[in-house]
Amino acid sequence: MTQSVVRINEATLFELLTVASLFLVALFGTLIAYQAYRGYRRNDAQSMLYLAIGLLLLTLCPFVLNVAVTTLIDPERIVIALLENVSRLFGLVAITYSLYGHH
């Protein structure tokens, strides 16, 4: 299997905007998750911990998985999509639990 490397100066504008938007989603999701974690620590509210975990699984983990898997393993695209979607699913479950669970 040959690995194709796309250099920044060879990337299309669409590719650059896609990577930038994914990075920004991961960054803002992590900042919001950090604030939720601070709320958990300050108020000892379990729901805020689940919210923080859910946000990380929803925003940061898919980005990290995509970068790590494509950089280190170079699998087929469908494997990356599956891993990203499983992370997002667990993130949504954690957020749902933070809202409706009995803590």
Side-chain angles (χ1 to χ4, degrees), residues 17-30 59 63:
L17 289 174
T18 300
V19 171
S21 67
L22 290 171
F23 175 76
L24 289 173
V25 166
L27 178 67
F28 281 101
T30 302
T59 59
F63 177 76

Side-chain angles (χ1 to χ4, degrees), residues 53-54 56-59 61-62 65 78-94:
I53 292 168
L56 288 176
L57 288 170
L58 193 61
T59 59
C61 287
L65 280 168
I78 194 160
V79 174
I80 297 169
L82 174 65
L83 293 173
E84 290 174 350
N85 286 333
V86 168
S87 178
R88 289 183 184 111
L89 175 64
F90 286 150
L92 290 171
V93 168

Side-chain angles (χ1 to χ4, degrees), residues 46-48 50-51 92-103:
Q46 275 305 106
S47 62
M48 294 302 280
Y50 288 107
L51 178 61
L92 290 171
V93 168
I95 291 170
T96 302
Y97 184 72
S98 78
L99 296 172
Y100 301 108
H102 300 286
H103 311 281

